[in-house]
Amino acid sequence: MQATIHNEFLTLTVDTLGAEAVSLKNAAGEELLWQADPAVWKRHAPILFPWTGKLPGGTFTHGGKTYKGGQHGFARDLEHTLLRAEGDTIELELRSDDAIKAERFPFDFVLTSTFRLEGKTVHHTLTVANPETAAEELRFGIGYHPAFRIPFDASHTTTDYEFRFDQPESPMILDAYPNGLLTGRCGYRWKNVSAIPLTDDLFANDSFCMAGLRTRTLGIYEKDTGRHIVCNVEGYPYSLIWSAPAKPVRFVCIEPWQSLPGAENDPQAWTERAAAACLAPGQHWATTLSTTFER
């Protein structure tokens, strides 16, 4: 099922499968999100929960049981309950149930996804709660993965675009090549730059996971016109940029994460792994991605 909200600038459609934004159009009716061509990449803007990236061995253990887990968790693959779609807001919820706890993740949780339009900005808030009735703490990772259509129109090509920070940066790149797990290596690809040029080969070795950015915003800009899509990444310890290896580039992702992928030498026990947060029963936690569309 899908729900749609709009204001004078934007029309947003969200699917209850994955609580995923599947369409965002501007006032001219131009589609701003990647439209999930399965020959290139089959998603639009998935939610990453209860972990980001991959798990070592594709598994974790808890209470003497081993659980299999694919990339980026499972929230993006499950049906969420639509709580409301009215005015400028869409709100959805995913609750753990017996099947999830038995097969995927043995912890109680409530994940609420709230989309709100404000002018040319979409605010997407993810709230995680550990119910008061839970038997143990809730440890989780979480992140965003929106894909934006590139080029903005038929008169532009890949190299007409660049990622921009709002101040010079020397991003520390955390290495996860070639299998998507952190290797423990890190280094610099760019030093003291305000922009990263987009090319068709930029993501030949997958994404760039940037740690410790000082910038408040990270956006994709059309160099000759100034049209842009900008994410507020302030408060996120990690920001990734990525696109599928298809040429020419058809979309770019700007991905603020509150947690990291697994490392090659991570323990199997879930309780020993790094997390975005650990919630005692009755506690909750929230994060918001605000994205502004000036095009």
Side-chain angles (χ1 to χ4, degrees):
M1 183 172 66
Q2 296 185 343
T4 299
I5 53 174
H6 64 87
N7 64 13
E8 61 182 310
F9 300 108
L10 299 171
T11 298
L12 172 67
T13 299
V14 177
D15 201 306
T16 54
L17 180 61
E20 183 174 8
V22 295
S23 175
L24 182 68
K25 294 181 178 179
N26 62 16
E30 298 169 323
E31 181 60 62
L32 308 178
L33 291 182
W34 167 242
Q35 286 304 287
D37 179 350
V40 181
W41 189 57
K42 66 178 183 179
R43 302 183 188 270
H44 306 264
I47 295 168
L48 315 184
F49 176 87
W51 58 83
T52 50
K54 294 182 178 181
L55 303 174
T59 62
F60 67 91
T61 62
H62 184 71
K65 182 177 177 178
T66 298
Y67 297 83
K68 292 183 179 180
Q71 186 168 1
H72 296 322
F74 52 80
R76 63 182 187 170
D77 298 317
L78 298 182
E79 191 72 21
H80 295 230
T81 300
L82 180 64
L83 300 180
R84 62 178 174 131
E86 56 189 18
D88 60 3
T89 302
I90 295 173
E91 187 175 15
L92 307 100
E93 179 184 89
L94 178 67
R95 288 179 173 264
S96 59
D97 57 22
D98 290 343
I100 290 174
K101 293 174 69 174
E103 300 168 12
R104 297 175 182 268
F105 192 64
F107 304 97
D108 293 299
F109 68 85
V110 181
L111 172 66
T112 305
S113 189
T114 305
F115 297 84
R116 183 172 63 87
L117 300 181
E118 182 184 23
K120 296 181 180 181
T121 299
V122 178
H123 303 288
H124 184 188
T125 298
L126 294 173
T127 303
V128 182
N130 191 7
E132 291 185 0
T133 56
E136 55 190 314
E137 75 171 12
L138 170 62
R139 174 185 294 261
F140 64 91
I142 200 164
Y144 298 88
H145 201 314
F148 309 116
R149 286 185 61 187
I150 293 294
F152 293 165
D153 59 39
S155 66
H156 290 84
T157 61
T158 302
T159 54
D160 292 322
Y161 296 86
E162 63 186 12
F163 295 96
R164 288 185 193 172
F165 308 107
D166 61 33
Q167 59 181 293
E169 288 280 3
S170 299
M172 179 64 68
I173 307 299
L174 305 184
D175 180 69
Y177 182 80
N179 57 13
L181 297 173
L182 295 176
T183 65
R185 298 186 296 268
C186 57
Y188 297 102
R189 172 74 179 263
W190 304 278
K191 289 189 177 182
N192 198 34
V193 298
S194 295
I196 298 172
L198 182 63
T199 68
D200 286 331
D201 296 315
L202 181 61
F203 302 107
N205 291 327
D206 208 22
S207 63
F208 293 96
C209 179
M210 299 180 286
L213 295 179
R214 300 167 300 163
T215 189
R216 188 178 68 86
T217 61
L218 174 58
I220 185 72
Y221 282 74
E222 198 170 69
K223 291 185 282 189
D224 61 338
T225 68
R227 295 189 297 177
H228 57 269
I229 299 171
V230 171
C231 296
N232 187 330
V233 299
E234 188 174 22
Y236 286 86
Y238 315 105
S239 295
L240 290 81
I241 53 175
W242 176 76
S243 186
K247 298 181 183 181
V249 168
R250 306 272 298 280
F251 66 88
V252 295
C253 292
I254 298 174
E255 309 173 36
W257 291 9
Q258 294 283 3
S259 56
L260 283 171
E264 293 175 344
N265 59 353
D266 268 352
Q268 278 291 296
W270 182 257
T271 55
E272 297 179 22
R273 292 189 174 172
C278 299
L279 304 180
Q283 290 185 324
H284 69 276
W285 177 96
T287 187
T288 298
L289 172 60
S290 297
T291 307
T292 300
F293 298 81
E294 292 287 353
R295 53 155 294 197

